[in-house]
Amino acid sequence: MAAPLTLDDHPARQAAAAFADHLRRNRLRSAHTVRAYVATAHRLIAFLGRHRGEAIDTGFLSAIEPADLRAYLAHRRGEGLTNASAARELSAVRTFLGFVNGEGAAIPRVQAPRVKRGVPRPVTPAEAKALAKDAADAHDVPWLAARDLAVLLLLYGAGLRVGEAMGLDAGLLPLGEAITVTGKGNKARVVPLLPVVREAIQCYAELCPYPLARGIMLFRGAKGGALDAAIVRKAVRAARGRLGLSERTTPHALRHSFATHLLGRGADLRQLQELLGHASLSSTQIYTAVDATHLMDVYRAAHPRA
């Protein structure tokens, strides 16, 4: 009996390596996304080799059948993937096959698992401010306290993703009434800054012991390197624990809160889409459900017959 095929037996593994370079250079995907998508490509190739009992090359991938993809997804679901994870896996597979087969090539259609979109739970303005203040108060070093206050007020007051905040260049200083933020897909957008956010960032910049100049990250770690998003998440976890806030109170929840509170103040969806840097309006429309949910929560808490 022949030995089972391994990943190294498959010529298509070279396509997976080229796929990584394509994602980085042409699609401008993050390092995390590149790792995840390429890992999926390798899993697909290895599975197909076992499933079909032959070495897999790009010719096979070009002629792949829907049944092969359904078998792969069934295999992955058997390994414990949820609907959401399986849908992401299928998206990565389609992207890989699109790269292998060329632009515009037909890719077998396979029904993606249904994913129920959860409604983000925003924190209240008071909770957001308390979270930022508590995270700052946890530091004995004044410039670190000012840094954490500035970062969290920026996430809540400008709706930035934590990665976007970490990527800000110190060349933005001195701050004006708005900043240019580079978001997903390397797309730039202009985001206005509230006075309280500008003041917090300026206070941090004045206290920071490390040079802040163009070409250097604005937010710095304790030893002078670029601040890691993991440090921000850790600070938020500790602060929410001390304040007794929900585990869903995360740095990203501050962005949700920014969106929800703006919508509640009358911002329209197109304006919100631009401020958040969403590629499609459908990503922004979820906040209409958030706002309705928030109003019902207030109603139930306040109305004597609710």
Side-chain angles (χ1 to χ4, degrees):
M1 183 176 176
L5 290 166
T6 67
L7 183 60
D8 289 340
D9 296 320
H10 302 296
R13 68 189 175 90
Q14 296 175 352
F19 180 50
D21 190 57
H22 166 72
L23 290 172
R24 281 191 296 266
R25 295 191 178 199
N26 302 329
R27 301 290 291 271
L28 302 175
R29 297 300 180 93
S30 69
H32 174 76
T33 298
V34 172
R35 283 194 301 271
Y37 274 41
V38 172
T40 295
H42 282 307
R43 279 195 297 268
L44 175 68
I45 293 165
F47 169 80
L48 290 173
R50 294 190 300 270
H51 182 61
R52 300 298 293 262
E54 60 183 289
I56 304 301
D57 57 17
T58 53
F60 179 91
L61 294 176
S62 297
I64 194 168
E65 298 288 336
D68 294 317
L69 293 186
R70 284 193 289 269
Y72 173 70
L73 283 180
H75 165 71
R76 293 290 286 143
R77 292 300 295 271
E79 293 181 334
L81 255 62
T82 62
N83 278 7
S85 296
R88 285 194 295 269
E89 188 94 351
L90 182 57
S91 176
V93 165
R94 285 171 172 160
T95 303
F96 175 54
L97 294 177
F99 166 72
V100 170
N101 298 338
E103 191 100 15
I107 297 171
R109 296 182 65 84
V110 174
Q111 182 70 39
R114 289 184 175 274
V115 179
K116 184 179 179 181
R117 295 190 71 177
V119 176
R121 287 288 179 178
V123 299
T124 67
E127 289 171 340
K129 294 171 188 174
L131 188 76
K133 185 176 185 304
D134 188 273
D137 290 346
H139 287 290
D140 295 326
V141 181
W143 81 269
L144 292 176
R147 180 201 68 190
D148 283 9
L149 182 67
V151 168
L152 296 181
L153 287 180
L154 181 63
L155 298 184
Y156 174 63
L160 269 62
R161 301 175 177 93
V162 66
E164 293 171 345
M166 299 303 95
L168 291 177
D169 191 291
L172 291 170
L173 300 172
L175 296 171
E177 293 186 351
I179 58 173
T180 299
V181 177
T182 302
K184 288 185 176 181
N186 211 31
K187 293 181 179 177
R189 68 184 189 276
V190 176
V191 178
L193 289 180
L194 295 170
V196 66
V197 177
R198 286 203 306 273
E199 290 166 11
I201 295 174
Q202 196 59 47
C203 177
Y204 153 72
E206 291 170 1
L207 292 174
C208 181
Y210 301 107
L212 297 175
R214 187 173 300 279
I216 298 173
M217 294 297 100
L218 173 61
F219 293 113
R220 315 295 287 278
K223 296 183 179 179
L227 179 61
D228 192 321
I231 300 298
V232 178
R233 295 186 181 99
K234 182 179 179 181
V236 168
R237 281 197 301 272
R240 79 186 179 210
R242 290 188 293 266
L243 294 171
L245 299 177
S246 164
E247 289 187 0
R248 298 176 74 172
T249 304
T250 64
H252 204 67
L254 296 176
R255 173 174 159 88
H256 291 320
S257 302
F258 164 83
T260 305
H261 299 158
L262 272 185
L263 192 63
R265 292 294 185 93
D268 67 39
L269 284 175
R270 286 292 181 189
Q271 292 172 328
L272 201 55
Q273 179 187 2
E274 290 180 12
L275 288 174
L276 293 171
H278 284 159
S280 67
L281 190 62
S282 62
S283 298
T284 314
Q285 285 173 330
I286 191 172
Y287 291 105
T288 59
V290 175
D291 197 46
T293 300
H294 175 67
L295 288 174
M296 287 306 298
D297 287 345
V298 172
Y299 171 77
R300 291 189 186 101
H303 199 289
R305 294 184 180 273

